[in-house]
Amino acid sequence: YHYNFRGRKEYLKATRQFGFTKKYELEYIQPFIDKARKRGAYYKISYILNRELPFRNFDNQQEFYKHEGNFAQKRFQISLGSSFRPDIHNSHRLYLEYQKNNIVDTLAQLNPDYFLEGRTQQSLLQLIYNYTHDQRDIVAYPLLGSYFSLQFVQLGLGVFGDIGMSSLNVNYSQYLPLGNDFYALGNVNGKLSFPNKQPFFNQQGLGFGLDYLRGYELFVIDGQ
């Protein structure tokens, strides 16, 4: 990691991961590329090899497949992005990403909907837009203010016919003082994706990433 590459607050990260999951990754972030210091750029390329991964959900829990002696899934990804921050409270980010994912035949047999229609390969172009409006007093440990974020993702831009899927995620948090050094936080998060038929690999409802319920971390919910 290099957190101040070239002395311009640029972030450079190179990863070589050995062991059970192998990863080769190079990431480079330029927070500012213009004199007004409002526009930035993002670059990333990665190659990931997985021996074990979830292949379906049963009773709201993930079932895993482990491929002995080889890798069950291989993923190649290259991303380009730009950011625009017109003021201290608002920011926009736009990413264009290419992915090529491959799985072994056994996975496609166990779950033909993994990539849909029993495919063992998936190629796609992905477009991601993020908008945030941040009115919190302290980003790391906020006590007052509010936070709003919106994300739109389009999987498949008509170049490859492997997938065509759209999703919208909205998040809002409000921080309130109660007096006597007590504070309250309220948060609401919603997601909608379509069409109805979606690949297992690309479909994530509740229980993935930061969208989970405390005490139910091992449980997931599929759906739009």
Side-chain angles (χ1 to χ4, degrees):
Y1 300 86
H2 200 311
Y3 291 100
N4 193 24
F5 187 60
R6 302 196 304 168
R8 300 178 180 181
K9 295 185 69 175
E10 297 171 346
Y11 174 76
L12 179 65
K13 174 186 174 183
T15 303
R16 172 66 174 95
Q17 179 177 309
F18 299 88
F20 193 69
T21 297
K22 294 185 181 296
K23 177 190 288 188
Y24 308 85
E25 187 174 83
L26 183 64
E27 185 177 8
Y28 180 42
I29 301 176
Q30 293 178 282
F32 310 110
I33 58 174
D34 61 341
K35 293 183 178 180
R37 300 171 69 86
K38 293 184 177 181
R39 302 182 184 276
Y42 172 84
Y43 316 88
K44 181 180 178 180
I45 184 171
S46 63
Y47 184 56
I48 303 172
L49 305 169
N50 300 102
R51 298 185 188 276
E52 184 177 19
L53 67 160
F55 68 96
R56 67 183 177 190
N57 299 330
F58 181 74
D59 285 344
N60 293 328
Q61 288 189 289
Q62 293 180 311
E63 293 188 346
F64 289 82
Y65 168 77
K66 182 179 179 182
H67 194 58
E68 299 293 342
N70 206 335
F71 296 99
Q73 180 173 259
K74 300 177 181 180
R75 302 179 59 191
F76 173 75
Q77 172 185 310
I78 183 168
S79 305
L80 301 174
S82 64
S83 62
F84 175 57
R85 192 179 184 186
D87 53 59
I88 193 174
H89 298 296
N90 298 283
S91 63
H92 306 262
R93 291 179 174 86
L94 186 67
Y95 302 93
L96 179 63
E97 182 176 288
Y98 168 74
Q99 289 186 22
K100 185 173 183 180
N101 307 308
N102 293 275
I103 58 173
V104 294
D105 295 340
T106 306
L107 264 176
Q109 295 170 4
L110 291 172
N111 185 0
D113 290 332
Y114 193 89
F115 287 150
L116 290 182
E117 300 177 357
R119 298 191 187 103
T120 59
Q121 179 176 302
Q122 181 192 73
S123 298
L124 63 92
L125 282 176
Q126 177 176 221
L127 186 67
I128 305 173
Y129 169 72
N130 289 312
Y131 167 73
T132 59
H133 179 72
D134 194 344
Q135 292 280 0
R136 296 173 295 179
D137 56 345
I138 303 173
V139 173
Y141 194 79
L143 298 175
L144 302 171
S146 62
Y147 178 84
F148 172 80
S149 68
L150 179 148
Q151 182 186 70
F152 174 77
V153 179
Q154 177 62 45
L155 289 173
L157 301 180
V159 179
F160 307 101
D162 294 350
I163 186 174
M165 176 178 163
S166 304
S167 64
L168 179 67
N169 195 311
V170 179
N171 178 73
Y172 179 76
S173 300
Q174 182 70 50
Y175 303 83
L176 301 170
L178 301 178
N180 297 321
D181 293 330
F182 282 89
Y183 298 85
L185 159 65
N187 172 265
V188 60
N189 186 55
K191 179 182 178 181
L192 175 66
S193 62
F194 49 90
N196 295 331
K197 188 70 170 178
Q198 300 178 3
F200 171 83
F201 176 70
N202 306 101
Q203 183 189 82
Q204 294 185 346
L206 186 64
F208 300 89
L210 298 178
D211 295 327
Y212 66 91
L213 298 179
R214 294 182 182 179
Y216 293 87
E217 288 86 349
L218 298 181
F219 293 86
V220 298
I221 298 178
D222 284 334
Q224 296 171 265

